[in-house]
């Protein structure tokens, strides 16, 4: 990286339980065709090995590391930006990896168009890189549809770049949405006038994902529900309000389904049936799974475990 031209970008990395992945993330920053002005890593204080990794990389990158005990990702990213003066911000999760042209492609689009510049990413388990990309599932809508569609689904990948001015205008990262704090930020930035631009060309990130599962943990849905409940009062049109209302109904049904699976797996059929009843108002797929859980909780839970482990069929 010593021969690469330097950009005006700070790379922000919250590192929680990241000892096994942080070095790869930092190596991918070092491999960029343009260098960031700064790299700020905020650690949670419970992982001395990750702290050692960050310290080792201060000799190879313009890196500053700070420990912020018991802080969530939103607070960590806020603190990282307080420690930097760079006018552009690029986000990197500590378990993801940038391909060499990533930062240059983001900066090129942002210099021409501004707004939020979002990259595409290969879905990656850490061992195998899939052929499907994130944008295949979450395409970036045309500008006039972005405010409505961001309320329906978070189509902005975390591997994005934006100006500090646009970030501050929207109010920055907020606490209370751990795991979905970026979605909350994108909603407010788009409402404040930022346009999302997709980087053209092939993916430039390997985005680490967990293996297939039939259902997520119930608390995952809590964070998504919290984002939309916070966004609902600021809806400006009937369409926005309808999208939020329908999405909240789906998420609440999905949360009840997840609770039903958890109860069935724990051997509590009564609780499984009670939670399954609350999921009947979801989509056809959710309602079908809820019906199976209501009729035969133990069988449905066993089937779910086999699906998650890939041992079905």
């Amino acid at each position: 990286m010593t021969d690469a031209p330097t950009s005006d970008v700070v790379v922000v990395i919250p590192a929680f339980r990241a000892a096994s992945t942080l070095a790869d993330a930092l190596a991918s920053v070092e491999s960029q065709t343009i260098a960031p002005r700064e790299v700020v890593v905020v650690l949670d204080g419970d992982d001395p090995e990750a702290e050692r990794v960050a310290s080792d990389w201060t000799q190879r990158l313009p890196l500053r590391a700070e420990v912020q005990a018991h802080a969530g990702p939103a607070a960590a990213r806020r603190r990282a930006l307080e420690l930097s003066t760079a006018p552009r911000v690029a986000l990197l999760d500590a378990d993801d990896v940038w391909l060499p042209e990533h930062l240059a492609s983001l900066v090129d689009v942002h210099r021409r168009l501004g707004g939020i510049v979002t990259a595409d990413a290969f879905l990656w388990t850490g061992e195998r890189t899939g052929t499907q990309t994130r944008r295949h599932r979450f395409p970036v809508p045309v500008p006039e549809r972005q405010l409505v569609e961001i309320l329906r689904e978070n189509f902005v990948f975390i591997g994005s770049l934006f100006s500090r001015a646009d970030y501050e205008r929207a109010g920055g990262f907020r606490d209370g949405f751990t795991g979905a704090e970026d979605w909350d930020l994108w909603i407010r930035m788009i409402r404040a006038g930022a346009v999302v631009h997709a980087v053209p060309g092939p993916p430039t990130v390997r985005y680490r994902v967990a293996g297939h599962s039939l259902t997520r943990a119930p608390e995952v849905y809590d964070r998504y529900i919290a984002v939309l409940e916070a966004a609902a009062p600021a809806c400006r049109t009937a369409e926005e309000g309808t999208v939020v209302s329908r999405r909240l109904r789906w998420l609440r049904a999905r949360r009840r389904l997840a609770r039903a699976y958890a109860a069935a797996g724990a051997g509590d059929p009564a609780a499984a049936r009670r939670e399954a009843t609350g999921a009947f108002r979801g989509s056809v797929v959710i309602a079908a799974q809820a019906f199976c859980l209501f009729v035969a909780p133990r069988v449905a839970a066993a089937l779910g475990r086999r699906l998650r482990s890939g041992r079905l069929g």
Side-chain angles (χ1 to χ4, degrees):
M1 178 170 282
T2 54
D3 296 327
T6 300
S7 67
D8 59 356
V9 176
V10 56
V11 179
V12 170
I13 308 175
F16 301 128
R17 296 180 295 278
S20 64
T21 62
L22 180 58
D24 287 342
L26 293 173
S28 77
V29 175
E30 185 186 38
S31 74
Q32 295 301 295
T33 57
I34 65 170
R37 176 189 295 181
E38 301 170 280
V39 180
V40 182
V41 178
V42 178
L43 304 119
D44 65 2
D46 295 326
D47 193 344
E49 178 61 21
E51 293 178 41
R52 185 194 64 76
V53 170
S55 178
D56 289 347
W57 275 89
T58 59
Q59 305 303 314
R60 301 169 64 176
L61 288 170
L63 186 149
R64 181 184 305 189
E66 180 172 294
V67 174
Q68 190 177 34
H70 311 299
R77 290 187 172 109
R78 280 201 309 272
R79 180 55 182 159
L81 285 167
E82 290 170 1
L83 295 170
S84 168
T85 60
R88 288 187 174 97
V89 181
L91 302 182
L92 171 60
D93 280 350
D95 57 352
D96 294 341
V97 168
W98 286 354
L99 301 182
E101 294 290 337
H102 174 74
L103 188 57
S105 64
L106 292 177
V107 170
D108 175 65
V109 174
H110 194 265
R111 283 175 176 163
R112 291 185 287 108
L113 301 175
I116 303 165
V117 182
T118 190
D120 196 5
F122 290 112
L123 305 185
W124 179 49
T125 65
E127 298 177 355
R128 183 175 63 86
T129 301
T131 56
Q132 187 180 32
T133 72
R134 191 181 186 279
R135 192 170 297 157
H136 178 78
R137 184 178 177 189
F138 303 111
V140 175
V142 295
E144 56 268 25
R145 293 294 302 169
Q146 289 181 1
L147 183 51
V148 168
E149 296 305 323
I150 195 64
L151 295 169
R152 194 188 315 275
E153 195 75 70
N154 182 10
F155 58 81
V156 183
F157 176 50
I158 190 65
S160 294
L161 179 142
F162 47 85
S163 72
R164 181 184 295 270
D166 283 344
Y167 167 83
E168 292 176 349
R169 187 177 301 113
F173 284 108
R174 301 192 296 185
D175 294 324
F177 311 101
T178 298
E181 67 279 350
D182 60 316
W183 189 18
D184 172 66
L185 176 65
W186 309 141
I187 290 171
R188 289 179 288 112
M189 288 182 73
I190 292 170
R191 278 180 168 163
V195 175
V196 181
H197 303 286
V199 174
T204 56
V205 181
R206 288 195 179 99
Y207 173 54
R208 194 183 301 266
V209 295
H212 170 75
S213 64
L214 181 66
T215 184
R216 297 175 178 175
E219 57 268 22
V220 171
Y221 298 100
D222 292 342
R223 66 189 65 159
Y224 300 149
I225 290 167
V227 167
L228 289 184
E229 287 178 340
C235 287
R236 302 169 183 170
T237 67
E239 184 182 15
E240 289 176 36
T242 298
V243 167
V244 169
S245 178
R246 289 177 177 173
R247 195 59 176 163
L248 280 171
R249 185 168 63 246
W250 185 92
L251 286 166
R252 288 165 180 155
R254 202 70 179 82
R255 180 174 60 183
R256 295 295 294 270
L257 184 68
R259 290 173 177 170
Y261 272 112
D268 188 345
R273 290 189 173 98
R274 184 170 59 250
E275 295 293 348
T277 301
F280 285 154
R281 293 188 63 208
S283 66
V284 173
V285 173
I286 293 174
Q289 292 181 61
F291 178 77
C292 293
L293 280 158
F294 185 84
V295 173
R298 291 186 178 88
V299 173
L303 177 62
R305 285 192 295 271
R306 294 184 67 185
L307 284 170
R308 289 193 294 273
S309 66
R311 290 187 287 107
L312 190 66

